[in-house]
C-alpha cells in the first residue's frame, strides 16, 4: 500500500542492565553460551509501559511535542491483560483526545502501530500519532529463548510530510499466514515454540514473501536501498535473510544489535531503525522488515529527508556503551522467575 | 497505597504537576491552593521541570513493607531546575555514582503494586544523567 506519512521524531530505550549468555549457560549447562553475547534486562521497577514512556519521551522531544491524536503500543508483555498502555501513556503525556490502543502480534506489534498510524495520517483522519513497540520478553528458564528474550522499546512520532521531517514512509506491505511457530496461551507466563520450525516456514518464508511483495508493488530492488533492517531474533537470521534477498553486509551492519541486546520483540526493528536513522544521511533509503510469530511480516520503504533538530539527542549506540552486567540470581529476582 | 487516592493524585505522581501563583509567579510542588508568598488564591496548574540536582540522599535497607522486595532503595532530595525541592526514589542508581550535586532527570517507574491482581502504581523516580 502507498503511504504518505513522515517520521518527525524517533527514540529508543534499552535498559541499563545486561546478562551475558555465558552466565545463563553456566547456570543450566555448566558451560557454553547462546547465539548472542548478551541481552538487555529490565530493572525490577521497569515494564513495557515504563520503557514505552522512555522511548516515546525521546521521540516526542525530537518532534517538538505535536498534538498527538493516536497512541498505539505494540507489545506482548503488557503489564495488564486488560487495561491499555495507550490510555496510561495518554494521561502521562497529557494527550487525552486520542485513540489509545495496544496491539499484539508477537514481535511485530511495533511495526503494526507504525503501519496503522501511517494509514490514518495518509487518509487524513489524524495529523500526528505516536507508534511504540515495547516488551519485557520472557523466555522459559533453560529454554533456547532465554538467551535472547530481552527488554527494550522503540517509538516514532508520525505526521504529515512537510519537507522538514526526518524521514518519509512511502510504502508498506504485510504478508500473513497461520503458522504455529510460537505462541502463548492465556495465563501462561512463558511462550511455547517449535524449535527449528521457527526458521524456514516462519521467519524466512514470511520476511522473504513480504519483501518480494514490496519489490513487486514498487519496482524497487535491493541495490536501491542504502540500509536494510530485518527482525533480529538472533544474530544469524537477519544476515541470512538479507543475503538470500540480495542485500550486502554494508547495508545490514548498522542495524544489527542482537549480539549485544538480544531480541526485544515488538521493539526489535524500531530500536534497529533508531540506530540506522542515527547514521543515515538525507536522500538515503531504508528497507525495514519486521517479523511476528503466528506469523507475519510488515515491510516498509523509508526515505531519509533530514537530520534530527535536537541538541540534547544522544545517538543510540553512544548510550549503549554504558551498561551494568548482572548475574543470574539478580535477573531471576527482577524478572519474577523465583516462586515464593 | 489506595487505588482511588492514587488515581486522584496521578498527575502529581506521573507528570510532576504542581502549581503556580498567577499573581507573583511562585511555584509549588506538591500543589497549593493559596500562595504561601503573597496569599493569592489565583493558582494554576504547573508542570515542574524534569531535571535537577541531588541535594541530599539516603539509603534505605529496611524500606516500608510495599518496597521491601526492592531493598536497598535510595531516596534523594532533588532541587529541580525551577528551584523546587522534591523527594524521590533514585532509579538504576549504583552506589558509587550517587553524589550530592549529581544531575538527575525524572522518569516513570513502577513504585509498587497491589499483589498479582491489583493496581500497578506508576510514578516519578529520578535517574542520574
Amino acid at each position: 500500500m502507498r503511504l504518505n506519512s513522515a517520521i518527525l521524531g524517533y527514540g529508543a530505550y534499552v535498559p541499563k542492565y545486561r546478562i551475558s549468555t555465558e552466565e545463563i549457560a553456566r547456570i543450566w549447562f555448566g558451560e557454553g553460551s547462546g547465539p548472542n553475547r548478551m541481552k538487555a534486562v529490565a530493572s525490577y521497577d521497569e515494564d513495557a509501559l515504563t520503557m514505552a514512556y522512555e522511548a516515546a519521551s525521546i521521540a516526542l522531544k525530537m518532534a517538538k511535542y505535536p498534538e498527538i491524536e493516536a497512541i498505539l503500543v505494540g507489545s506482548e508483555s503488557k503489564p495488564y491483560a486488560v487495561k491499555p498502555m495507550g490510555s496510561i501513556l495518554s494521561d502521562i503525556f497529557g494527550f487525552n483526545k486520542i485513540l489509545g490502543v495496544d496491539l499484539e502480534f508477537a514481535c511485530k506489534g511495533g511495526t503494526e502501530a507504525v503501519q496503522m498510524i501511517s494509514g490514518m495520517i495518509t487518509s487524513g483522519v489524524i495529523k500526528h500519532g505516536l507508534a511504540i513497540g515495547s516488551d519485557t520478553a520472557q523466555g522459559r528458564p533453560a529454554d533456547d529463548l532465554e538467551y535472547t528474550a530481552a527488554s527494550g522499546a522503540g517509538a516514532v512520532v508520525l505526521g504529515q510530510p512537510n519537507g522538514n521531517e526526518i524521514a518519509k514512509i512511502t510504502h508498506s506491505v504485510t504478508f500473513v499466514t497461520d503458522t504455529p511457530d510460537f505462541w502463548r496461551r492465556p495465563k501462561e507466563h512463558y511462550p511455547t515454540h517449535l524449535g527449528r520450525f521457527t526458521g524456514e516456514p516462519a521467519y524466512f518464508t514470511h520476511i522473504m514473501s513480504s519483501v518480494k511483495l514490496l519489490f513487486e508493488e514498487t519496482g524497487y530492488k535491493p541495490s536501491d536501498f542504502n540500509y536494510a533492517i530485518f527482525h533480529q531474533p538472533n544474530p544469524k537470521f537477519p544476515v541470512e535473510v538479507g543475503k538470500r534477498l540480495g542485500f550486502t553486509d554494508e547495508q545490514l551492519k548498522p542495524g544489527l544489535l542482537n549480539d549485544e541486546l538480544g531480541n526485544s520483540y515488538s521493539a526489535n526493528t524500531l530500536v534497529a531503525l533508531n540506530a540506522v536513522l542515527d547514521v543515515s544521511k538525507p536522500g538515503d533509503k531504508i528497507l525495514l522488515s519486521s517479523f511476528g510469530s503466528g506469523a507475519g511480516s510488515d515491510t516498509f520503504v523509508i526515505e531519509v529527508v533530514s537530520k534530527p533538530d535536537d541538541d540534547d539527542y544522544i545517538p543510540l549506540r553512544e548510550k549503549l556503551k554504558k551498561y551494568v552486567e548482572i548475574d543470574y540470581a539478580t535477573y531471576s529476582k527482577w524478572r519474577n522467575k523465583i516462586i515464593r | 497505597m489506595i487505588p482511588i487516592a492514587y488515581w486522584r493524585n496521578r498527575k502529581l505522581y506521573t507528570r510532576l504537576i504542581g502549581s503556580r501563583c498567577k499573581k507573583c509567579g511562585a511555584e509549588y510542588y506538591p500543589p497549593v491552593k493559596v500562595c504561601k508568598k503573597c496569599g493569592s488564591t489565583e493558582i494554576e496548574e504547573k508542570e515542574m521541570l524534569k531535571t535537577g540536582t541531588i541535594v541530599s540522599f539516603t539509603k534505605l535497607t529496611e524500606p516500608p513493607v510495599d518496597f521491601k522486595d526492592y531493598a536497598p532503595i535510595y531516596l534523594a532530595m532533588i532541587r529541580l531546575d525551577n528551584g523546587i525541592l522534591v523527594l524521590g526514589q533514585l532509579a538504576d542508581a549504583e552506589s558509587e555514582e550517587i553524589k550530592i550535586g549529581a544531575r538527575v532527570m525524572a522518569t516513570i517507574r513502577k513504585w509498587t503494586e497491589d499483589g498479582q491482581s491489583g493496581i500497578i502504581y506508576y510514578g516519578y523516580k529520578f535517574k542520574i544523567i
Side-chain angles (χ1 to χ4, degrees), chain B residues 19 21 28 31-43:
Chain B
S19 58
C21 173
Y28 298 95
V32 297
K33 298 221 183 280
V34 179
C35 180
K36 293 176 187 174
K37 285 189 179 159
C38 72
S40 170
T41 54
E42 288 185 48
I43 302 290

PDB file of all heavy atoms in Angstrom, chain B residues 19 21 28 31-43:
ATOM      1  N   SER B  19       1.845  23.609  41.200  1.00  0.00           N
ATOM      2  CA  SER B  19       1.024  24.796  40.972  1.00  0.00           C
ATOM      3  C   SER B  19       1.891  26.048  40.880  1.00  0.00           C
ATOM      4  O   SER B  19       3.058  26.050  41.276  1.00  0.00           O
ATOM      5  CB  SER B  19      -0.036  24.943  42.074  1.00  0.00           C
ATOM      6  OG  SER B  19       0.590  25.008  43.338  1.00  0.00           O
ATOM      7  N   CYS B  21       1.492  30.442  41.261  1.00  0.00           N
ATOM      8  CA  CYS B  21       0.677  31.597  41.634  1.00  0.00           C
ATOM      9  C   CYS B  21       0.610  32.559  40.435  1.00  0.00           C
ATOM     10  O   CYS B  21       1.649  32.995  39.929  1.00  0.00           O
ATOM     11  CB  CYS B  21       1.283  32.307  42.848  1.00  0.00           C
ATOM     12  SG  CYS B  21       0.440  33.856  43.237  1.00  0.00           S
ATOM     13  N   TYR B  28       5.018  25.713  43.185  1.00  0.00           N
ATOM     14  CA  TYR B  28       4.939  24.784  44.315  1.00  0.00           C
ATOM     15  C   TYR B  28       4.801  23.340  43.844  1.00  0.00           C
ATOM     16  O   TYR B  28       4.102  23.059  42.879  1.00  0.00           O
ATOM     17  CB  TYR B  28       3.719  25.114  45.193  1.00  0.00           C
ATOM     18  CG  TYR B  28       3.775  26.500  45.797  1.00  0.00           C
ATOM     19  CD1 TYR B  28       3.146  27.566  45.173  1.00  0.00           C
ATOM     20  CD2 TYR B  28       4.477  26.728  46.982  1.00  0.00           C
ATOM     21  CE1 TYR B  28       3.202  28.833  45.705  1.00  0.00           C
ATOM     22  CE2 TYR B  28       4.533  27.999  47.525  1.00  0.00           C
ATOM     23  CZ  TYR B  28       3.895  29.054  46.888  1.00  0.00           C
ATOM     24  OH  TYR B  28       3.960  30.309  47.426  1.00  0.00           O
ATOM     25  N   PRO B  31       1.157  20.725  44.789  1.00  0.00           N
ATOM     26  CA  PRO B  31       0.420  21.965  44.548  1.00  0.00           C
ATOM     27  C   PRO B  31      -0.233  22.524  45.811  1.00  0.00           C
ATOM     28  O   PRO B  31      -0.517  21.779  46.748  1.00  0.00           O
ATOM     29  CB  PRO B  31      -0.633  21.547  43.517  1.00  0.00           C
ATOM     30  CG  PRO B  31      -0.722  20.070  43.594  1.00  0.00           C
ATOM     31  CD  PRO B  31       0.611  19.569  44.063  1.00  0.00           C
ATOM     32  N   VAL B  32      -0.453  23.837  45.802  1.00  0.00           N
ATOM     33  CA  VAL B  32      -1.126  24.500  46.932  1.00  0.00           C
ATOM     34  C   VAL B  32      -2.381  25.209  46.418  1.00  0.00           C
ATOM     35  O   VAL B  32      -2.533  25.411  45.216  1.00  0.00           O
ATOM     36  CB  VAL B  32      -0.192  25.536  47.600  1.00  0.00           C
ATOM     37  CG1 VAL B  32       1.025  24.863  48.199  1.00  0.00           C
ATOM     38  CG2 VAL B  32       0.213  26.622  46.604  1.00  0.00           C
ATOM     39  N   LYS B  33      -3.272  25.564  47.326  1.00  0.00           N
ATOM     40  CA  LYS B  33      -4.479  26.309  46.929  1.00  0.00           C
ATOM     41  C   LYS B  33      -4.326  27.802  47.191  1.00  0.00           C
ATOM     42  O   LYS B  33      -5.012  28.615  46.599  1.00  0.00           O
ATOM     43  CB  LYS B  33      -5.704  25.775  47.689  1.00  0.00           C
ATOM     44  CG  LYS B  33      -6.009  24.304  47.398  1.00  0.00           C
ATOM     45  CD  LYS B  33      -7.487  24.075  47.241  1.00  0.00           C
ATOM     46  CE  LYS B  33      -7.837  22.623  47.025  1.00  0.00           C
ATOM     47  NZ  LYS B  33      -7.625  22.216  45.656  1.00  0.00           N
ATOM     48  N   VAL B  34      -3.405  28.127  48.147  1.00  0.00           N
ATOM     49  CA  VAL B  34      -3.152  29.530  48.478  1.00  0.00           C
ATOM     50  C   VAL B  34      -1.644  29.764  48.405  1.00  0.00           C
ATOM     51  O   VAL B  34      -0.862  28.968  48.928  1.00  0.00           O
ATOM     52  CB  VAL B  34      -3.647  29.866  49.913  1.00  0.00           C
ATOM     53  CG1 VAL B  34      -3.348  31.321  50.267  1.00  0.00           C
ATOM     54  CG2 VAL B  34      -5.138  29.578  50.049  1.00  0.00           C
ATOM     55  N   CYS B  35      -1.247  30.844  47.758  1.00  0.00           N
ATOM     56  CA  CYS B  35       0.184  31.129  47.612  1.00  0.00           C
ATOM     57  C   CYS B  35       0.791  31.454  48.984  1.00  0.00           C
ATOM     58  O   CYS B  35       0.281  32.316  49.710  1.00  0.00           O
ATOM     59  CB  CYS B  35       0.387  32.305  46.658  1.00  0.00           C
ATOM     60  SG  CYS B  35       2.129  32.720  46.442  1.00  0.00           S
ATOM     61  N   LYS B  36       1.861  30.762  49.317  1.00  0.00           N
ATOM     62  CA  LYS B  36       2.495  30.975  50.627  1.00  0.00           C
ATOM     63  C   LYS B  36       3.283  32.293  50.666  1.00  0.00           C
ATOM     64  O   LYS B  36       3.644  32.760  51.725  1.00  0.00           O
ATOM     65  CB  LYS B  36       3.444  29.812  50.930  1.00  0.00           C
ATOM     66  CG  LYS B  36       2.728  28.486  51.143  1.00  0.00           C
ATOM     67  CD  LYS B  36       3.734  27.379  51.346  1.00  0.00           C
ATOM     68  CE  LYS B  36       3.036  26.023  51.390  1.00  0.00           C
ATOM     69  NZ  LYS B  36       4.002  24.914  51.441  1.00  0.00           N
ATOM     70  N   LYS B  37       3.563  32.850  49.498  1.00  0.00           N
ATOM     71  CA  LYS B  37       4.350  34.087  49.468  1.00  0.00           C
ATOM     72  C   LYS B  37       3.474  35.336  49.487  1.00  0.00           C
ATOM     73  O   LYS B  37       3.739  36.271  50.225  1.00  0.00           O
ATOM     74  CB  LYS B  37       5.242  34.101  48.223  1.00  0.00           C
ATOM     75  CG  LYS B  37       6.431  33.161  48.374  1.00  0.00           C
ATOM     76  CD  LYS B  37       7.426  33.332  47.265  1.00  0.00           C
ATOM     77  CE  LYS B  37       8.588  32.369  47.520  1.00  0.00           C
ATOM     78  NZ  LYS B  37       9.337  32.099  46.321  1.00  0.00           N
ATOM     79  N   CYS B  38       2.417  35.340  48.647  1.00  0.00           N
ATOM     80  CA  CYS B  38       1.614  36.580  48.561  1.00  0.00           C
ATOM     81  C   CYS B  38       0.170  36.392  49.020  1.00  0.00           C
ATOM     82  O   CYS B  38      -0.595  37.362  49.051  1.00  0.00           O
ATOM     83  CB  CYS B  38       1.650  37.138  47.139  1.00  0.00           C
ATOM     84  SG  CYS B  38       0.699  36.174  45.954  1.00  0.00           S
ATOM     85  N   GLY B  39      -0.212  35.143  49.346  1.00  0.00           N
ATOM     86  CA  GLY B  39      -1.564  34.914  49.863  1.00  0.00           C
ATOM     87  C   GLY B  39      -2.638  34.841  48.794  1.00  0.00           C
ATOM     88  O   GLY B  39      -3.820  34.663  49.096  1.00  0.00           O
ATOM     89  N   SER B  40      -2.251  34.948  47.524  1.00  0.00           N
ATOM     90  CA  SER B  40      -3.246  34.918  46.454  1.00  0.00           C
ATOM     91  C   SER B  40      -3.870  33.526  46.323  1.00  0.00           C
ATOM     92  O   SER B  40      -3.207  32.512  46.555  1.00  0.00           O
ATOM     93  CB  SER B  40      -2.577  35.302  45.126  1.00  0.00           C
ATOM     94  OG  SER B  40      -3.460  35.056  44.057  1.00  0.00           O
ATOM     95  N   THR B  41      -5.150  33.507  45.936  1.00  0.00           N
ATOM     96  CA  THR B  41      -5.803  32.224  45.653  1.00  0.00           C
ATOM     97  C   THR B  41      -5.918  31.994  44.139  1.00  0.00           C
ATOM     98  O   THR B  41      -6.565  31.054  43.703  1.00  0.00           O
ATOM     99  CB  THR B  41      -7.210  32.178  46.285  1.00  0.00           C
ATOM    100  OG1 THR B  41      -7.935  33.321  45.844  1.00  0.00           O
ATOM    101  CG2 THR B  41      -7.129  32.136  47.794  1.00  0.00           C
ATOM    102  N   GLU B  42      -5.306  32.883  43.372  1.00  0.00           N
ATOM    103  CA  GLU B  42      -5.293  32.697  41.904  1.00  0.00           C
ATOM    104  C   GLU B  42      -4.133  31.756  41.553  1.00  0.00           C
ATOM    105  O   GLU B  42      -3.006  32.190  41.323  1.00  0.00           O
ATOM    106  CB  GLU B  42      -5.122  34.041  41.214  1.00  0.00           C
ATOM    107  CG  GLU B  42      -6.352  34.916  41.300  1.00  0.00           C
ATOM    108  CD  GLU B  42      -6.173  36.181  40.488  1.00  0.00           C
ATOM    109  OE1 GLU B  42      -5.751  36.085  39.325  1.00  0.00           O
ATOM    110  OE2 GLU B  42      -6.409  37.252  41.051  1.00  0.00           O
ATOM    111  N   ILE B  43      -4.461  30.499  41.582  1.00  0.00           N
ATOM    112  CA  ILE B  43      -3.434  29.455  41.422  1.00  0.00           C
ATOM    113  C   ILE B  43      -3.760  28.638  40.173  1.00  0.00           C
ATOM    114  O   ILE B  43      -4.925  28.319  39.923  1.00  0.00           O
ATOM    115  CB  ILE B  43      -3.422  28.524  42.658  1.00  0.00           C
ATOM    116  CG1 ILE B  43      -3.169  29.321  43.939  1.00  0.00           C
ATOM    117  CG2 ILE B  43      -2.414  27.391  42.477  1.00  0.00           C
ATOM    118  CD1 ILE B  43      -1.789  29.874  44.110  1.00  0.00           C
TER     119      ILE B  43
END
